[in-house]
Amino acid sequence: MSMNENLTEIVAKKTYLEYFCSESFTDGIHHHLIFLLTFVVFLCIFTSLGNALILVALRKESTLGSPSKLLLRSLATSDLFVGMLSDPLVAIYWVSAIQQHWSVCYYAFFTAFVVNSALCLVSLMTLSAISVDRLLALSLGMRYRETVTSKRVYGIIITFWVLATTGSAVFVKSSQFTTRFIQTVIGLCLLTSMFSHTIIFFSLRKHRTRGQDRRSREDPSSASGNQRIEVNIAKHKRAASTVLWIQLALLIFYLPYTVIVALLSIRGELSQTLVLSRQYGVVFVLANSSLNPLLYCWKISEVREAVEATLKNWRCSSTD
């Protein structure tokens, strides 16, 4: 079945897509769509520039470990594509809905869903991988660099992008398969992240307790060794905290959309209020990609310093 035939079949079933791209939905809410459109244009600019700056800074930054840097670059790349692809596609189907170009609306909505799904899945899988990476760094110690190599991380990242793209593109043939695939990946990613953070929490507490017991038994001459242990614990704690903040931000921004989609599934019928609410939920999802660069600069001192140096070099270049 071709994409045109599949799309015709979807529309014939009076699905969400047909309802959104129709006068029955857009009648009387043009001001809402114009507001959303304006906001998404702002997000498009901020998300693209912010994540492009992070990628340039990560390329110059040399103190972060290679695996951690690769995973952050993958996450920033998916966010950059949200600004460069997802935001414009969403803006196109809102403009087409306002101007009642229904054929453009159908294809723009369809394409935006596939692209957004792929990028969201890449972000989720990458965040889970970062959680596991932090767990391995804590548990393996000196063996971490031998086990977690740049080559292996590259392979994992490529696998994430291929799986996410393929699973989302299958929506053209089977929307049911893509929906189940997305639900499965989300569930596995959340479980993996929760498991990793739980083990990290208890491991750090265990290390801290051992360090306190050692200090109480040893003489003052071993203070330097205890200090190194405390520094190492603090380093792992900051790294785990950074990942946790990024994941919490993702959950918070994705929650409204998830709740609205669940309500649409439970009710089984479409209403203008719920469908419009879903559009606001989409904006929340897109906004997450614009927030991540700020979180990197706030929680990762190496990235913040690299960004400051990059901006300083740009200012110096512009004044020359």
Side-chain angles (χ1 to χ4, degrees):
M1 183 183 291
S2 67
M3 182 175 176
N4 287 341
E5 292 171 339
N6 187 270
L7 195 60
T8 302
E9 179 183 347
I10 291 174
V11 173
K13 292 179 180 178
K14 297 186 180 298
T15 60
Y16 177 91
L17 173 60
E18 184 195 28
Y19 183 79
F20 178 82
C21 296
S22 67
E23 290 186 44
S24 57
F25 168 66
T26 59
D27 185 35
I29 62 164
H30 282 191
H31 58 289
H32 283 283
L33 296 180
I34 292 172
F35 169 77
L36 291 172
L37 177 62
T38 304
F39 193 71
V40 164
V41 170
F42 168 78
L43 286 179
C44 177
I45 297 171
F46 189 84
T47 302
S48 300
L49 292 178
N51 286 285
L53 177 60
I54 292 297
L55 287 171
V56 172
L58 285 173
R59 186 176 181 181
K60 296 181 178 180
E61 206 283 322
S62 59
T63 57
L64 279 174
S66 295
S68 299
K69 187 190 294 187
L70 288 174
L71 291 169
L72 281 175
R73 286 172 67 177
S74 175
L75 190 59
T77 300
S78 64
D79 287 333
L80 176 64
F81 284 153
V82 168
M84 296 179 64
L85 296 176
S86 296
D87 290 345
L89 284 169
V90 170
I92 288 171
Y93 77 66
W94 280 335
V95 169
S96 60
I98 293 171
Q99 297 183 347
Q100 298 185 0
H101 297 320
W102 305 128
S103 59
V104 176
C105 182
Y106 295 146
Y107 282 101
F109 186 98
F110 202 81
T111 308
F113 179 85
V114 173
V115 172
N116 288 347
S117 298
L119 294 175
C120 289
L121 290 177
V122 169
S123 296
L124 282 168
M125 289 189 284
T126 304
L127 277 173
S128 297
I130 294 175
S131 300
V132 174
D133 174 68
R134 292 301 86 208
L135 174 60
L136 292 175
L138 178 62
S139 58
L140 294 178
M142 298 299 294
R143 292 179 293 128
Y144 169 76
R145 292 186 178 182
E146 298 177 2
T147 305
V148 185
T149 62
S150 297
K151 186 176 181 179
R152 290 175 179 173
V153 174
Y154 264 123
I156 291 171
I157 290 172
I158 292 172
T159 301
F160 286 167
W161 281 89
V162 171
L163 279 176
T165 303
T166 304
S168 300
V170 172
F171 185 76
V172 175
K173 293 292 185 180
S174 174
S175 59
Q176 188 176 15
F177 172 83
T178 300
T179 301
R180 290 178 178 175
F181 176 77
I182 291 173
Q183 292 171 345
T184 301
V185 171
I186 291 174
L188 290 174
C189 288
L190 291 177
L191 287 174
T192 302
S193 297
M194 289 173 60
F195 173 79
S196 299
H197 283 293
T198 301
I199 300 299
I200 289 172
F201 173 78
F202 284 110
S203 296
L204 288 175
R205 192 169 71 170
K206 186 177 181 180
H207 285 308
R208 185 175 293 277
T209 302
R210 285 180 178 176
Q212 291 172 349
D213 292 341
R214 190 175 299 158
R215 282 197 301 270
S216 65
R217 293 193 305 268
E218 294 180 352
D219 56 60
S221 61
S222 62
S224 60
N226 292 329
Q227 188 175 6
R228 284 196 298 271
I229 294 173
E230 288 293 331
V231 170
N232 193 40
I233 291 174
K235 178 182 177 181
H236 287 296
K237 187 175 180 180
R238 285 196 303 270
S241 173
T242 299
V243 181
L244 185 59
W245 270 99
I246 297 172
Q247 289 181 330
L248 285 175
L250 185 143
L251 289 174
I252 291 171
F253 277 82
Y254 278 55
L255 184 60
Y257 180 83
T258 305
V259 171
I260 294 165
V261 170
L263 288 174
L264 283 167
S265 301
I266 293 171
R267 288 195 56 173
E269 61 181 63
L270 300 172
S271 67
Q272 189 180 61
T273 301
L274 275 178
V275 174
L276 180 60
S277 298
R278 178 171 172 173
Q279 301 311 305
Y280 278 94
V282 168
V283 172
F284 267 88
V285 170
L286 297 176
N288 177 253
S289 296
S290 66
L291 178 68
N292 281 341
L294 300 177
L295 288 175
Y296 301 150
C297 293
W298 174 41
K299 298 297 294 183
I300 308 176
S301 58
E302 296 90 346
V303 174
R304 181 171 63 252
E305 292 168 1
V307 168
E308 290 173 352
T310 301
L311 292 175
K312 185 177 180 181
N313 292 336
W314 286 352
R315 285 197 297 267
C316 292
S317 300
S318 61
T319 55
D320 290 343

